[in-house]
Amino acid sequence: MEHDQVDDRKSFAAYVGVLRQQLISGGQDWENIDLPSFLEAMQAWAQDSQQAVQANPWRHAAEVITAAIGYE
């Protein structure tokens, strides 16, 4: 499941579950695997991003989380 498939609470919960499983399985694509690094990346991305905010808040939240996985 990809973040652009999130459109409601149910799909958001499913997406977070997929990310959790990825991280448990080794998080090969994750740059920020501990909570402090992840939250720092989330904050930095939110400050730096020039992307338009998604109209759907569930998809927007998924986009922010996805960005924090690899943002440096």
Side-chain angles (χ1 to χ4, degrees), residues 7 10 20 22 28-30 38 46-47 49 51 59 61 68:
D7 57 8
K10 184 177 179 179
R20 180 177 172 270
Q22 286 177 357
Q28 293 87 340
D29 296 331
W30 287 60
F38 183 82
Q47 290 173 339
S49 176
Q51 292 182 353
R59 184 166 298 158

Side-chain angles (χ1 to χ4, degrees), residues 12-29:
F12 179 78
Y15 181 64
V16 171
V18 166
L19 295 179
R20 180 177 172 270
Q21 285 303 314
Q22 286 177 357
L23 188 56
I24 289 170
S25 298
Q28 293 87 340
D29 296 331

